[in-house]
Amino acid sequence: MLHIVNKSPQEKNCLDACLGVATDGAAVLLIEDAVYAATTGHPAAAKLEQAQSRLKLYVLRPDLEARGMADRLIAAVTAVDYGGFVDLAAEHTCQSWL
Amino acid sequence: MEGVVKKFMFVNRKAPYGTIYALESLEVVLISAAFDQDVSLAFLDDGVYQLKKGQQTKGIETKNFSPTYRALDGYDIEKLYVEREAMEARGLTEADLLVDVTVLSRRELGMLMDGMDVVLSF
Amino acid sequence: MKFGILVNEGPYQHQSADSAYLFCKAALEKGHEIHRVFFYHDGVNNASRLTEPPQDDRNIVKRWTQLAEEHGIDLVVCVAAALRRGIKEENLAAGFRISGLGQLVETGIEADRVVTFGD
C-alpha cells in the first residue's frame, strides 16, 4: 500500500492517522503541505525517524523545493520527483489521507 | 469488465455537514452497488461522526442524509467498519451509532486496507 | 499500467488540481496510460471554460484540455456534483464531458490503479 499524505501535520491529524493505520512494509509519500513533516526541527520529524524502521518514507521533491525546505530534509525520508511518485503508485494500491 | 469483481473500500474521515464530502461519498457508494463489486466502507477519525444517531438538520436547512446509512443493506452493502480508537477519542460507543458496524483497531483496519484493490477516500 | 485519477478540489484554491495534472504528465512520460480523470466535489470547477487566470499564471483548465487533446484522455465531470455548482454543457471547457458517478466506479474496475487528489 502507498499512503499519500498532503496536509501539514500541525494543521490536521492526517499523518498521525496514516502512521497508525499503515502496516509494516508500507510506503508513505508526503506531498503538498505534508512535506514540512520531513524537515529538521519539525515535531513530526521525530515520528518519521521512529517509523523509518518499519515503513518506507518518501517526500515529493518539487513540493519541498517550492516551500524553501529542500535543504532541511531529514535523512529518514527519501526525496522523489513526479516520476518517482508515478513509480510508487504503479507499485502499490494507493490511499490518500485527505 | 463483465464479471470483474474488485474489492473497493470507501474511506470516510470527515464529519458530516461542515463539508459536503460525507454526502457525496455516500452518493458514490450507492452508485457502486449497481456494479456488483465487493464494497466496504471504513469510518476513521471524524468520519465516525457520520454515523452518530439523532442527527436533526432542520435548523441548518440541510437534508439529513444519515438515514441512508441504514438503507445500505438494501443495496447489499453490509461491510461497515469503524475505527475503535476514533470512537474512543470522541467519547462514542457502538450504542451511539445509527447502524450495525464492525469495530476494528487501526492496525486491523490497516490490514483490511492492504487487501483492497481500490481505495477511494473522501 | 492504466491509471485512473480522481480530482476532488477546484483549480487555484487548492494544490490538488496541479498535483493531479503533474502526476498525469509524469505517468504519460513514463509510457503509462491514463484511463480517465474523474472530477468530483469542487473538482468539477476544473472544467469551467469561463475561468480566466491572470496572464502570468498557469491556466489549469486549458492545461487539462491540452492533455486531453494530445493524449486522448477521457476527462469526466460528475453530473450531480457539476449541476450543484453551476457547471453545465454551456460552460464546459473543450475536452471534458459530463457523465454519471458510475464512470468513477467503472474507472476503479478498469484501471490498474486509482490515485486520489483532494483536500
Side-chain angles (χ1 to χ4, degrees), chain C residues 61 65 108 117:
Chain C
V61 176
T65 297
F117 294 89

PDB file of all heavy atoms in Angstrom, chain C residues 61 65 108 117:
ATOM      1  N   VAL C  61      -7.363  25.022 -16.464  1.00  0.00           N
ATOM      2  CA  VAL C  61      -8.404  24.424 -17.298  1.00  0.00           C
ATOM      3  C   VAL C  61      -7.851  24.092 -18.690  1.00  0.00           C
ATOM      4  O   VAL C  61      -8.039  22.992 -19.215  1.00  0.00           O
ATOM      5  CB  VAL C  61      -9.631  25.366 -17.395  1.00  0.00           C
ATOM      6  CG1 VAL C  61     -10.677  24.795 -18.349  1.00  0.00           C
ATOM      7  CG2 VAL C  61     -10.232  25.589 -16.016  1.00  0.00           C
ATOM      8  N   THR C  65      -7.410  20.598 -20.984  1.00  0.00           N
ATOM      9  CA  THR C  65      -7.899  20.477 -22.356  1.00  0.00           C
ATOM     10  C   THR C  65      -6.783  19.993 -23.283  1.00  0.00           C
ATOM     11  O   THR C  65      -6.981  19.101 -24.113  1.00  0.00           O
ATOM     12  CB  THR C  65      -8.446  21.841 -22.842  1.00  0.00           C
ATOM     13  OG1 THR C  65      -9.559  22.195 -22.021  1.00  0.00           O
ATOM     14  CG2 THR C  65      -8.888  21.780 -24.297  1.00  0.00           C
ATOM     15  N   GLY C 108     -12.478   2.552 -11.410  1.00  0.00           N
ATOM     16  CA  GLY C 108     -11.931   1.689 -10.368  1.00  0.00           C
ATOM     17  C   GLY C 108     -11.823   0.250 -10.831  1.00  0.00           C
ATOM     18  O   GLY C 108     -10.875  -0.469 -10.504  1.00  0.00           O
ATOM     19  N   PHE C 117      -6.637  12.829  -5.598  1.00  0.00           N
ATOM     20  CA  PHE C 117      -6.057  14.114  -5.218  1.00  0.00           C
ATOM     21  C   PHE C 117      -7.176  14.990  -4.668  1.00  0.00           C
ATOM     22  O   PHE C 117      -8.224  15.127  -5.304  1.00  0.00           O
ATOM     23  CB  PHE C 117      -5.422  14.788  -6.438  1.00  0.00           C
ATOM     24  CG  PHE C 117      -4.222  14.033  -6.959  1.00  0.00           C
ATOM     25  CD1 PHE C 117      -4.386  13.023  -7.909  1.00  0.00           C
ATOM     26  CD2 PHE C 117      -2.955  14.301  -6.488  1.00  0.00           C
ATOM     27  CE1 PHE C 117      -3.290  12.311  -8.384  1.00  0.00           C
ATOM     28  CE2 PHE C 117      -1.854  13.594  -6.946  1.00  0.00           C
ATOM     29  CZ  PHE C 117      -2.021  12.595  -7.897  1.00  0.00           C
TER      30      PHE C 117
END
